[in-house]
Amino acid sequence: MAAATDALQVESTATNFQAADLAATGDEFTSQEHCNSSITAGDTTDPATIAPDPKSNLIGYYSSWGWKEIVKASVWHGGSWFDAWLTAVAAQVGSVILTFPYTFSQVGYKFGILFQFVYGAFGCWTVFLLSWMYAELKQRKMLQGTLQKGHILQYHEVIGGLVGKWGRYMTKTFICLSLTFGCTLQLIACSSDVYYLNSNWNKRQWLYLFGALALPCVLIPTLHNFRILSFIGIVTTSITSAYMTTAALKHGQIPNVKHSAPDNMVQFFSGLTNILFAFGSHGLCVEIMEAMWKPKNYKYAYVCCVLYTYLLTIPNSTSVYWAYGDILLHNSNAFGVLPPSTARNVSIIAMIAHQYVALMLNITPIFHMWEKAIGLHLSPNYLLKSFARVPVVCLIWFLALAIPFFGPINSMMGAFLISFSVYIIPSLAFIYVYRSKAAREASVWKPPKLFFHNWFTLFCISGFVATFVLVIGFGLGGWASMTNFVRQINTFGFFQACYQCPVTGKAH
């Protein structure tokens, strides 16, 4: 508690200089997260009372820091463009790198690579739209004087504030469900991965342990405090991706390897929906912007995030599919085909570490929703708010134990949740918000030169993205996911001790 409060005092002093600098340069909107924390009792200084020229002694200010301040700022406070990139990559790239070889066995090389670029580009576009709408709402609230200090804006509040209550409730439903099941997936993936290391415990027993180990995540205040954790998340996934690529190339192709994909419509559209699911980290992008000193730069950080995602997913998925071919259709986790080795064990441990980071990132927006629901969001009592978060972790822990067969419904989640929350809602909301000439003239941003300064171009692109995902992702993807789910439903079991484990062995 004392460490957290001390750290926030350091952050407050440093970012007061940043706040004044932003005001001097005419930045359209700034984040409240850098001025205070949503959990601890932070700085209460009114930005209007800050000294007029703080940068005049900025070098002297930073040079006066001791090692404690430097360490705290290095591992705790993250409001820069680079921190936003760290968080976005850590949230987006995770266990999906283990399932992409399986996806390639469903859709083939060409479509596997093509649709990564398609959905990655669509994701960048909708982040651009969300950044625009976030700036719009922030400006309106500042002009109206309704911007609450300490209140962290969230995705559903941005949509609701611009579209109306119906947009707020619909978006909140999609976001809450997708984040909840995404967190549940991380716990299930931990038990599934560690089972390849030690099968003396079944997966349910491992889940008991991992669920308990997830409880400390209630202590992390906001996405502003994830610098070192996000760095760990990126390093661990990079290690796993490099191992998978190297191991597959070193192993070479198995005898009589076959690459028959795509040859099944159900598998094909299920695979495309898995790719859609992989670029679905928008549920926390507004919270990341709230944690930034210059939120308008998030759209650039996200483009770099997607580019880095390609570096991790394309080499490993193509190489593993090249080596093992169609047998991946029966192994959704690449660890199931890669040969046992010390390197694989290190990779498994690295992936488990990442999945914990991903869990903590994705559960943070749920914490904020819960705090607002019970009236504690603006409370300065750090311990009370931390304790109030525990039921959220327990619910996700319970869901992970109850539905350990989560893997087969990943594509359903992509089709019915991610397709709307990531692609369709932002695209249609943007068109709705700026449908009138008055709204366009008063907009906080204007159409950039890249799009010929033309609103019609923006609307056409947004409409195309929404329509494409509605037809391919939700329509055909939903049909394929449901068909695949029905085919496998007899293999499911609630509270199953060891889903998809070998019939014999200690796991049972």
Side-chain angles (χ1 to χ4, degrees):
M1 172 62 183
T5 304
D6 190 19
L8 284 164
Q9 289 172 346
V10 173
E11 174 198 8
S12 173
T13 307
T15 54
N16 279 341
F17 288 106
Q18 181 70 30
D21 182 45
L22 293 177
T25 57
D27 197 6
E28 294 95 331
F29 62 100
T30 58
S31 167
Q32 290 210 30
E33 177 62 24
H34 70 275
C35 293
N36 54 76
S37 168
S38 70
I39 272 196
T40 58
D43 179 45
T44 58
T45 304
D46 186 342
T49 66
I50 300 172
D53 188 18
K55 290 189 71 175
S56 61
N57 195 33
L58 198 58
I59 296 177
Y61 168 75
Y62 284 115
S63 65
S64 68
W65 280 14
W67 67 269
K68 288 178 64 177
E69 288 77 10
I70 294 174
V71 170
K72 290 172 184 176
S74 299
V75 304
W76 188 251
H77 305 302
S80 67
W81 180 96
F82 179 69
D83 290 302
W85 176 80
L86 285 175
T87 304
V89 175
Q92 182 142 295
V93 186
S95 56
V96 67
I97 66 176
L98 302 177
T99 61
F100 260 31
Y102 163 69
T103 298
F104 271 49
S105 71
Q106 295 175 305
V107 304
Y109 292 114
K110 179 172 64 177
F111 288 106
I113 295 174
L114 173 63
F115 272 83
Q116 284 192 57
F117 285 115
V118 168
Y119 285 129
F122 285 2
C124 291
W125 179 256
T126 52
V127 161
F128 168 62
L129 300 183
L130 280 170
S131 298
W132 193 324
M133 290 186 285
Y134 168 81
E136 183 71 44
L137 181 66
K138 200 86 175 202
Q139 185 187 62
R140 291 185 186 183
K141 284 184 169 291
M142 291 176 69
L143 293 174
Q144 296 167 358
T146 58
L147 197 62
Q148 289 181 289
K149 187 174 182 179
H151 180 95
I152 296 176
L153 282 174
Q154 295 187 269
Y155 188 149
H156 63 280
E157 292 173 324
V158 170
I159 301 298
L162 298 175
V163 173
K165 288 185 178 180
W166 63 271
R168 176 191 180 102
Y169 296 142
M170 179 180 66
T171 306
K172 187 174 184 179
T173 300
F174 281 114
I175 291 296
C176 191
L177 288 175
S178 61
L179 288 173
T180 299
F181 285 114
C183 293
T184 303
L185 170 63
Q186 301 305 328
L187 281 182
I188 296 172
C190 285
S191 66
S192 177
D193 291 345
V194 78
Y195 185 75
Y196 290 105
L197 282 178
N198 187 338
S199 61
N200 290 325
W201 281 12
N202 62 46
K203 293 180 181 179
R204 185 170 63 193
Q205 290 170 320
W206 281 115
L207 264 176
Y208 291 143
L209 174 63
F210 286 123
L213 292 176
L215 288 171
C217 72
V218 303
L219 299 173
I220 302 178
T222 70
L223 291 183
H224 190 75
N225 310 114
F226 271 88
R227 175 175 288 174
I228 189 64
L229 291 173
S230 296
F231 179 77
I232 292 171
I234 293 178
V235 170
T236 49
T237 47
S238 300
I239 290 173
T240 302
S241 178
Y243 156 73
M244 291 172 62
T245 303
T246 305
L249 295 175
K250 182 179 179 180
H251 180 275
Q253 292 183 314
I254 62 174
N256 302 316
V257 64
K258 293 182 179 180
H259 302 91
S260 56
D263 66 345
N264 182 296
M265 293 293 286
V266 172
Q267 293 283 4
F268 178 73
F269 286 108
S270 293
L272 294 187
T273 311
N274 287 336
I275 298 175
L276 181 151
F277 173 79
F279 292 91
S281 63
H282 291 43
L284 64 162
C285 69
V286 174
E287 287 84 352
I288 296 176
M289 286 187 276
E290 282 283 86
M292 294 179 69
W293 295 318
K294 291 186 177 181
K296 69 175 183 179
N297 289 335
Y298 178 67
K299 54 186 179 290
Y300 306 120
Y302 187 79
V303 170
C304 294
C305 161
V306 170
L307 293 177
Y308 191 79
T309 300
Y310 294 150
L311 293 177
L312 296 184
T313 57
I314 293 177
N316 83 345
S317 51
T318 53
S319 58
V320 175
Y321 180 51
W322 169 82
Y324 295 97
D326 288 354
I327 70 170
L328 287 163
L329 285 169
H330 309 288
N331 293 273
S332 59
N333 189 325
F335 285 141
V337 299
L338 294 168
S341 66
T342 301
R344 191 186 77 157
N345 293 344
V346 171
S347 179
I348 290 174
I349 294 171
M351 183 50 60
I352 292 173
H354 168 83
Q355 285 158 351
Y356 260 98
V357 173
L359 169 66
M360 289 186 281
L361 285 169
N362 285 283
I363 203 172
T364 301
I366 306 176
F367 285 155
H368 296 327
M369 292 183 199
W370 175 245
E371 291 163 5
K372 293 170 184 176
I374 61 177
L376 286 179
H377 185 59
L378 300 179
S379 172
N381 192 320
Y382 175 82
L383 293 179
L384 176 62
K385 293 182 72 175
S386 298
F387 181 76
R389 292 174 166 189
V390 172
V392 177
V393 181
C394 291
L395 172 62
I396 291 170
W397 189 3
F398 174 81
L399 290 174
L401 289 168
I403 52 173
F405 49 83
F406 193 86
I409 62 174
N410 277 1
S411 58
M412 288 183 60
M413 179 177 168
F416 297 112
L417 295 177
I418 300 300
S419 60
F420 281 91
S421 62
V422 173
Y423 304 101
I424 298 174
I425 289 177
S427 299
L428 297 182
F430 181 82
I431 296 173
Y432 181 84
V433 170
Y434 295 107
R435 68 193 184 280
S436 68
K437 183 178 180 180
R440 294 193 293 271
E441 290 177 346
S443 174
V444 64
W445 292 353
K446 302 301 179 184
K449 184 178 180 181
L450 180 62
F451 303 103
F452 314 107
H453 300 294
N454 191 307
W455 283 95
F456 180 73
T457 305
L458 299 181
F459 291 161
C460 287
I461 297 174
S462 300
F464 174 77
V465 169
T467 303
F468 186 95
V469 174
L470 185 66
V471 174
I472 303 298
F474 174 71
L476 295 173
W479 162 76
S481 301
M482 285 297 297
T483 302
N484 190 47
F485 181 82
V486 171
R487 289 178 180 176
Q488 299 187 52
I489 199 165
N490 291 330
T491 67
F492 301 161
F494 289 101
F495 299 100
Q496 194 165 336
C498 208
Y499 177 70
Q500 288 187 340
C501 293
V503 176
T504 59
K506 294 181 180 180
H508 297 270

